[in-house]
């Protein structure tokens, strides 16, 4: 596939890795956070940790939309389907995420709730048009990549006069999550997370551009390199970060120039600004309540807001006690620190959200760790 | 779910949609979020929507940079 295969060339990967080994100073520790779950996935899938010297470490960030949605919001979605008897439309990845008492959308569906997996939010609007006698709610999750499509579908619902359609909005913002990590005591004071820089998200940045990261580079003196999702992109970004650290620079650099500009996609951004506004705060799994980190539907479009249309009982559900997802999402722990990893908790039967989506750190460790081992055994 | 891929626009269809080629498979997606999409453009596709165009010149430059790294050995 064009723009994919060229960026997976194993020989070139070897060359970039060689450069990394040459340029990483042995006396220096390099710990970089890949914010985005798409990068976490790529890093494991292509065995990038094996190509890096011991003093270059990747810390996995909270940029997996499925992983950061807290239990009360999942409970609320289940309540919409079970108590309010709506047709609930959800992206597939959400289906197995455990809410309170390990209940999930999938289990609620098995118990008879009308929950449907959709590939796109346009499909949800279509379901509403096909079922005029039923209330249809789209369970909207995700960062800046899924927000413009949701905005578009809300506008279309109004234009087309669809009355039985609403959106349960859980859209969140990347820059606020990065700020929270940089402000966290683990990073600022305690030095538990010795963060030297960030790999900036690929597709989020196609929408928001590279400009929003300038603040982190300046204010916190942390380099940011925006990278594509292919293995050569990630390796090249790591090399660029190492160079910034070595030269004492903290700048925003863009490795993914083929799709990311400084200002991003203006058309998508202005549509989002038309439909959504900031919530004063929003809860994230692992990060807690983060100010101005989530979006809600503006009053003008309030008719399409499921939180207006249905009275939802605030759930006090919490994560499973032994689940380390909250610490993993802050970069403080790794999946191997969790007692349940691979034992009580597997992708088939997840206890926590990080084991559900292929972008979650636990799922990535589990799938590709095993894969790697099997390969090693074959070689051995 | 954040995985998104570059796809080639084969034809523009009604309602701001486009027919795209995904490694040989044809699919209709929305291009309503991107300004001025033309047949032959590559766009980054995510949950059925194009998010942005791929700039062919910049893509070449990045590849050239990788190759240079290789040649410098
Ligand atoms: S292995 Fe399972 S229980 Fe443990 S942190 Fe990961 S998701 Fe939570």
């Amino acid at each position: 596939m064009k723009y994919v295969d060229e960026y997976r060339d194993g020989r070139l990967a070897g060359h970039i890795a060689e450069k990394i080994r040459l340029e990483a100073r042995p006396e220096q520790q390099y710990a970089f956070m890949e914010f985005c779950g798409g990068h976490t996935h790529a890093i494991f899938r292509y065995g990038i940790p094996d190509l890096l010297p011991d003093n270059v470490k990747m810390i996995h960030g909270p940029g997996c939309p499925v992983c950061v949605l807290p239990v009360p919001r999942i409970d609320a979605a289940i309540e919409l389907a079970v108590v309010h008897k709506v047709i609930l439309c959800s992206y597939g990845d959400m289906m197995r995420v455990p809410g309170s008492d390990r209940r999930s959308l999938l289990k609620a569906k098995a118990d008879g709730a009308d929950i449907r997996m959709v590939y796109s939010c346009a499909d949800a609007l279509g379901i509403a048009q096909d079922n005029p006698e039923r209330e249809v709610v789209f369970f909207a999750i995700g960062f800046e990549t899924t927000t413009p499509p949701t905005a578009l579908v809300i506008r279309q619902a109004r234009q087309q006069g669809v009355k039985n359609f609403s959106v349960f909005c859980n859209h969140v913002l990347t820059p606020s999550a990065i700020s929270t990590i940089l402000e966290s005591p683990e990073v600022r004071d305690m030095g538990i997370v010795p963060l030297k820089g960030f790999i900036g998200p690929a597709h989020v940045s196609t929408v928001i551009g590279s400009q929003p990261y300038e603040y982190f580079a300046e204010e916190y003196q942390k380099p940011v390199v925006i990278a594509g999702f292919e293995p050569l992109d990630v390796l090249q970004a790591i090399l660029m970060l190492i160079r910034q650290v070595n030269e004492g620079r903290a700048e925003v650099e863009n490795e993914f120039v083929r799709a990311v500009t400084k200002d991003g996609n203006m058309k998508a951004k202005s549509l989002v600004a038309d439909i959504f506004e900031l919530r004063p705060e929003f809860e994230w799994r692992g990060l807690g309540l983060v100010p101005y980190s989530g979006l809600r539907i503006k009053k003008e479009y309030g008719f399409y807001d499921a939180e207006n249309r249905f009275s939802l009982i605030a759930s006090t559900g919490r994560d499973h006690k032994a689940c380390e997802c909250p610490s993993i999402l802050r970069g403080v722990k790794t999946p191997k620190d969790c007692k349940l990893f691979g034992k009580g908790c597997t992708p088939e039967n997840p206890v926590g959200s990080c084991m559900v989506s292929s972008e979650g750190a636990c799922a990535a460790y589990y799938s590709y760790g095993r894969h790697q081992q099997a390969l090693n055994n074959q070689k051995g | 779910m954040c995985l998104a891929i570059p796809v080639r626009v084969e034809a523009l269809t009604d309602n701001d949609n486009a027919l795209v080629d995904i490694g040989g498979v044809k699919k209709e997606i929305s291009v309503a979020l991107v300004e001025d999409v033309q047949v032959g453009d590559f766009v980054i596709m995510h949950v059925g929507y194009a998010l942005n165009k791929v700039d062919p010149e910049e893509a070449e430059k990045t590849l050239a940079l990788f190759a240079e790294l290789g040649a410098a050995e």
Side-chain angles (χ1 to χ4, degrees), chain A residues 303-353:
Chain A
F303 180 77
Y304 298 96
D305 188 345
E307 287 176 82
N308 286 345
R309 204 178 286 195
F310 305 97
S311 57
L312 297 171
I313 300 160
S315 145
T316 52
R318 284 284 141 236
D319 288 300
H320 189 284
K321 275 208 276 326
C323 174
E324 298 282 10
C325 279
S327 310
I328 292 169
L329 289 165
R330 290 200 307 277
V332 178
K333 289 193 174 167
T334 74
K336 297 216 171 98
D337 296 323
C338 175
K339 287 200 291 282
L340 298 178
F341 178 78
K343 299 188 186 92
C345 181
T346 59
E348 293 75 46
N349 199 7
V351 174
S353 59

Side-chain angles (χ1 to χ4, degrees), chain B residues 40-57:
Chain B
D41 284 346
F42 276 80
V43 293
I44 307 261
M45 180 195 79
H46 180 60
V47 295
Y49 290 79
L51 288 184
N52 219 339
K53 287 193 232 181
V54 179
D55 181 329
E57 276 172 36

Side-chain angles (χ1 to χ4, degrees), chain A residues 96 102 106 344-351 355-356 366-367 370:
Chain A
R96 287 181 305 122
R102 293 184 76 176
L106 201 62
C345 181
T346 59
E348 293 75 46
N349 199 7
V351 174
M355 192 56 103
V356 176
Y366 188 86
S367 311
R370 289 202 147 183

